[in-house]
Amino acid sequence: MIPSIEWIDNKVKMIDQTVLPHELKFLEFEDFRDVAISIKLMNIRGAPAIGVAAAMGMALATIEYKELPKSEFLKRMEEAAEVIKKTRPTASNLFWAVDRIWKIISSYPDNPSSLSDLVVEEAKLMAQEDINVNKNIGKNGAELLEDGDVVLTHCNAGSLATVQYGTALAPVRSAIAQGKKISVIADETRPRLQGARLTAYELQYDKIPVNVISDTSSGLMMRLGKVNKVIVGTDRVTSDAVFNKIGTYLVALAAKDNNIPFYVAAPTSTLSLDETVDDVIIEQRDSTEVSNVLGKVQIVPDGVECLNYAFDITPFRLVTGIITEDGVYTPEELLKKYK
Ligand code: MRU
């Protein structure tokens, strides 16, 4: 799959994920405010991808403000950081990325113009690092997969959710590159259908076998012996749980009940191990995402308000292992290593 986001000639170029799988369309932005809107509207989505988008948004802001005196520059950059941080509340990577850029801004004593060059370079580096991290997740996760395995995944934690290669789909890509025969079952992932639209699109693009199922089918697929392993991505890992796309918890429960290993692919930029579940804001999105399929056909009676929580909480007791760029860990080992 081609990169979902790139920095080209002082512009941010991204795949518009809202029109996939029907159209492969690109958006280009020179204004950080437009990047913030694209995160909010989910033209770009997936925790690592929105982290890189946030960093590139900050880089665009430094270009816009670099002629200002340093104090004014800093004031405007604080406002830009706030705009970007307010786009989506749950994925750690967004805050991690803005904070990483902020460290450079606050520690650099020179003029805003040369600082802007540094921030642009850092944002580009973060994009490249994301690909490297994902390849290492792939290498570590591929060890868990055996020839012939069918991997069930929820939402899209693939190339499109990152800069390239993916997190949950990285072990699948790496295992296939090692010569193993692996196929994927993708939950459709209501209401935004990231599994049906995006996971299926990118796997088909890369000629990796994939079947899409309705979200309500995953338990039966496990019961029928059609799933060997579950691998999902994550938006935030706290000291007690994994936050991921709504529906992940139910998949984890079904996996436990059917003795199927449930793995979470998590770049370390997603770890927020000083927090517990009570510290995290679960994003609630517009009711119409649930009431109207893909914003079009209304499926509930007029006047009925739908509840639309975007993420849920999977407690550590349901997690077999967490695959990071450094290795595969039980939740207890993860806490020991990174906390
Ligand atoms: O609402 P989304 O599409 O941004 O949610 C994405 C997910 O839940 C992914 O599983 C998660 O961000 C991990 S992506 C590598």
Side-chain angles (χ1 to χ4, degrees), residues 7 18 56 58 62 93 101 129 138 209 217 230 232 242 260-261 273 280 284 289 297:
W7 180 271
T18 61
M56 290 185 177
M58 289 292 282
T62 64
N93 310 57
I101 294 292
E129 275 179 16
S217 306
V230 177
V232 298
V242 169
I260 291 171
L273 300 178
V280 183
Q284 290 186 64
E289 289 186 350
V297 184

Side-chain angles (χ1 to χ4, degrees), residues 48-200:
I50 63 178
V52 171
M56 290 185 177
M58 289 292 282
L60 288 179
T62 64
I63 292 172
E64 179 175 332
Y65 297 137
K66 70 181 180 183
E67 305 301 339
L68 296 173
K70 189 154 185 194
S71 62
E72 184 66 14
F73 170 85
L74 285 176
K75 189 168 155 267
R76 294 299 179 100
M77 284 307 300
E78 265 172 31
E79 288 162 8
E82 272 317 290
V83 168
I84 292 169
K85 280 183 170 180
K86 280 212 171 91
T87 52
R88 297 192 73 189
T90 309
S92 295
N93 310 57
L94 182 74
F95 307 95
W96 168 86
V98 174
D99 291 347
R100 179 162 158 180
I101 294 292
W102 198 260
K103 269 198 195 115
I104 296 182
I105 294 174
S106 58
S107 66
Y108 197 67
D110 211 338
N111 64 58
S113 186
S114 47
L115 177 55
S116 174
D117 295 341
L118 279 184
V119 169
V120 168
E121 284 315 306
E122 186 74 1
K124 283 169 26 184
L125 177 70
M126 286 162 76
Q128 187 51 51
E129 275 179 16
D130 177 74
I131 301 173
N132 300 341
V133 160
N134 298 337
K135 292 211 163 141
N136 283 327
I137 288 176
K139 194 165 130 256
N140 296 330
E143 303 295 314
L144 305 165
L145 298 182
E146 289 159 54
D147 191 33
D149 270 355
V150 179
V151 175
L152 184 138
T153 193
H154 189 71
C155 192
N156 172 263
S159 187
L160 287 161
T162 60
V163 176
Q164 224 171 356
Y165 212 70
T167 59
L169 295 186
V172 171
R173 289 181 200 283
S174 300
I176 289 174
Q178 291 167 359
K180 294 176 192 165
K181 235 180 124 200
I182 309 287
S183 65
V184 174
I185 291 183
D187 288 347
E188 61 174 351
T189 318
R190 281 270 292 151
R192 297 286 298 223
L193 302 174
Q194 291 94 327
R197 296 189 305 105
L198 307 178
T199 298

